[in-house]
Amino acid sequence: MARDNLAIVVKGYPRLSETFIAQEILGIQQAGIPYRIVSLRHPTDKKRHPINDRITGAVAYLPEYVYQEPMRVLRGWLKARKMPGYRRALNIWWQDYRRDRTANRARRFAQAMVMAAELPDDVTRIYAHFLHTPASVARYCAIMRGLPWSCSAHAKDIYTSQDWDMREKLRDMDWLVTCTSANVDYLRKLAEDPDKVNLLYHGLDFSRFPEDLPERPLRDGTDADNPVRILSVGRLVGKKGYDDLLRALAKLPADLHWRFVHIGGGDGEKYQKLATELGIADRCDWQGARDQKEVIAACQSSDLFVLASRIEKDGDRDGLPNVLMEAQLCGLAAVSTAISAIPELIKDGVNGKLVPERDPDALASALKALITDPRLRETMGRKGNEIVRRDFSFYRGMKELAERFGVNSQSDEQAAIPAEQPAAE
């Protein structure tokens, strides 16, 4: 099988909240697979992770809106309409548009025409991250160009998409990988060929993390001058459940001493206001967006990790948040919710505690138990580190993905599939 030359379609690049995509792209680069990145949107984050500086592939940004680059869209149409697959792509798009009459659907076809017109001739496969809009652009473009395409699906893109849309995309693509067993089960029920859907955990690149766990003080919440440090990392959006978490923190006994540290972007003012209303604002530290190096440092200096994920009314939810794996790799016991794929990592009573979603009382009880028992936190944190190192190595999944792209680790002597790297200092 010949090695693919990839066009990797992403919604935006680079993004602080999508370290797992950057990690995979770097792995593709290290495996010697030719690639270029095609982004539907320009970056908006003020910071960027150090890993993005190691990614050297070309990046092309498609027109975010037709009115912004009308001549580019026109040139794309003039070239794309002469392609053998254009008529079929147009017919499929029209069937999609009749069921989803939105500007977003129209914009995706315009982006697909520009992509089809501008992709170099040496591209042999299109690979999309996310099953919603990036996969739509990838699908239309692949049909126009007569190229095979594949997809990596995650969480929101699955559970907020229409079944008909995912079913038809699964029919047209070669294969799909997704990062949780829960996602695999869900998508296989939609696929005409369930074997197209495969589990591929993102995993972590352990080389970015210190190999030795830190020696943490045995804080138990009794010393006002040395409070237990509770960390959470995530965007301030509904599915992360930060209002539930703040209400849980407010329910902790008044004589229990803790400090809550949050890292992540989003509407900080909304949650800071809620913390003030709940009377815990002086115990909360809102640090905003940080790069991964700073996140790891925060994990190293904290005592406990918490993420109160929940399922929103539109179906949006977390899959298996990378931050949970990162916290566990740093030896932090975790408190989280028993939704989606979180129980695939966090085993209640083993490496953390799981509570029902949207239940501040249960969350407060779990937090209290771990705040007051540093020895239990330490035991759970070490077990979490062991589980992540055993089951969630990025390199294991990267070898499988590389083979899908034509790199045979057994017979291709020139293949540079990355091996596990030494830990960072």
Side-chain angles (χ1 to χ4, degrees):
M1 182 171 76
R3 188 176 304 191
D4 282 318
N5 188 327
L6 302 176
I8 303 173
V9 183
V10 296
K11 194 168 186 178
Y13 181 84
R15 282 184 163 182
L16 282 174
S17 61
E18 295 176 356
T19 316
F20 59 95
I21 294 179
Q23 178 177 265
E24 183 180 283
I25 292 173
L26 181 60
I28 287 169
Q29 177 177 299
Q30 291 173 331
I33 302 167
Y35 75 95
R36 64 190 59 246
I37 301 167
V38 180
S39 178
L40 310 190
R41 293 181 181 175
H42 290 267
T44 57
D45 295 320
K46 295 179 180 179
K47 283 178 168 281
R48 58 188 278 148
H49 292 303
I51 191 174
N52 294 114
D53 296 328
R54 299 169 61 192
I55 294 171
T56 59
V59 184
Y61 292 96
L62 298 176
E64 291 189 39
Y65 298 96
V66 174
Y67 74 86
Q68 292 176 331
E69 298 184 75
M71 295 308 297
R72 189 178 173 198
V73 175
L74 176 61
R75 289 193 299 270
W77 173 71
L78 289 172
K79 187 171 181 180
R81 70 191 183 99
K82 298 176 182 178
M83 296 177 181
Y86 174 78
R87 181 59 58 182
R88 178 170 175 255
L90 180 63
N91 288 339
I92 288 174
W93 170 79
W94 177 242
Q95 293 172 25
D96 293 345
Y97 184 73
R98 289 173 63 186
R99 293 171 288 185
D100 177 30
R101 292 180 179 269
T102 62
N104 178 66
R105 182 67 65 172
R107 186 160 60 246
R108 300 314 164 202
F109 193 74
Q111 290 180 313
M113 290 191 297
V114 172
M115 181 178 169
E118 296 181 359
L119 270 188
D121 292 338
D122 60 356
V123 170
T124 60
R125 175 176 296 276
I126 298 174
Y127 175 57
H129 262 285
F130 293 109
L131 191 50
H132 52 1
T133 48
S136 293
V137 174
R139 180 191 184 201
Y140 301 143
C141 176
I143 293 170
M144 291 181 209
R145 288 285 297 260
L147 292 173
W149 73 285
S150 309
C151 184
S152 179
H154 304 289
K156 178 180 180 179
D157 52 321
I158 299 171
Y159 298 103
T160 62
S161 294
Q162 295 293 323
D163 284 356
W164 62 263
D165 192 30
M166 293 188 288
R167 187 179 293 113
E168 293 174 13
K169 286 172 179 171
L170 284 164
R171 181 195 62 206
D172 283 355
M173 71 177 69
D174 281 358
W175 48 263
L176 176 142
V177 292
T178 188
C179 52
T180 74
S181 294
N183 291 349
V184 169
D185 293 342
Y186 188 86
L187 291 172
R188 281 183 174 170
K189 292 175 183 177
L190 295 176
E192 294 176 8
D193 179 2
D195 289 340
K196 284 187 176 183
V197 180
N198 301 273
L199 175 64
L200 188 74
Y201 286 123
H202 296 309
L204 296 181
D205 175 359
F206 300 153
S207 69
R208 298 200 304 273
F209 295 79
E211 187 171 4
D212 296 327
L213 297 181
E215 292 293 331
R216 293 186 168 90
L218 298 179
R219 291 184 275 247
D220 62 4
T222 59
D223 185 352
D225 294 327
N226 194 19
V228 172
R229 184 181 173 96
I230 304 168
L231 175 67
S232 188
V233 180
R235 288 177 297 133
L236 292 169
V237 294
K239 68 179 178 180
K240 300 294 185 180
Y242 281 111
D243 49 348
D244 297 329
L245 174 55
L246 290 173
R247 290 186 173 93
L249 291 170
K251 291 177 179 292
L252 293 172
D255 60 352
L256 198 61
H257 301 289
W258 51 268
R259 183 158 187 79
F260 172 61
V261 177
H262 173 265
I263 292 177
D267 187 1
E269 184 176 342
K270 170 184 173 182
Y271 293 95
Q272 290 170 33
K273 181 180 178 182
L274 177 59
T276 300
E277 292 171 356
L278 293 169
I280 58 172
D282 60 337
R283 296 186 175 198
C284 298
D285 181 5
W286 306 93
Q287 296 193 357
R290 293 288 187 267
D291 63 34
Q292 192 179 53
K293 191 173 182 180
E294 293 169 307
V295 170
I296 293 171
C299 287
Q300 294 289 103
S301 62
S302 297
D303 300 303
L304 176 62
F305 191 88
V306 60
L307 193 65
S309 301
R310 67 192 187 194
I311 301 173
E312 295 293 271
K313 291 180 179 179
D314 66 355
D316 191 12
R317 70 195 72 183
D318 279 327
L320 179 53
N322 262 35
V323 291
L324 275 174
M325 288 189 282
E326 292 169 354
Q328 293 267 282
L329 191 58
C330 291
L332 281 179
V335 176
S336 194
T337 50
I339 68 161
S340 195
I342 292 173
E344 294 176 36
L345 170 66
I346 306 298
K347 310 300 180 185
D348 187 41
V350 177
N351 54 334
K353 287 184 175 291
L354 292 179
V355 300
E357 62 172 322
R358 301 177 185 271
D359 191 339
D361 288 325
L363 189 55
S365 178
L367 287 170
K368 179 184 175 183
L370 289 182
I371 288 172
T372 58
D373 194 338
R375 293 294 185 188
L376 179 59
R377 292 198 308 265
E378 182 181 38
T379 299
M380 286 183 167
R382 290 188 178 279
K383 188 63 178 179
N385 174 275
E386 177 186 318
I387 289 171
V388 171
R389 289 191 176 276
R390 183 190 69 206
D391 298 335
F392 295 94
S393 167
F394 161 70
Y395 293 95
R396 181 185 305 171
M398 189 61 232
K399 287 182 179 180
E400 179 183 333
L401 190 64
E403 288 174 1
R404 290 185 178 276
F405 293 140
V407 176
N408 190 322
S409 59
Q410 300 299 319
S411 60
D412 189 346
E413 294 181 359
Q414 295 181 339
I417 298 175
E420 202 79 71
Q421 301 295 309
E425 294 298 330

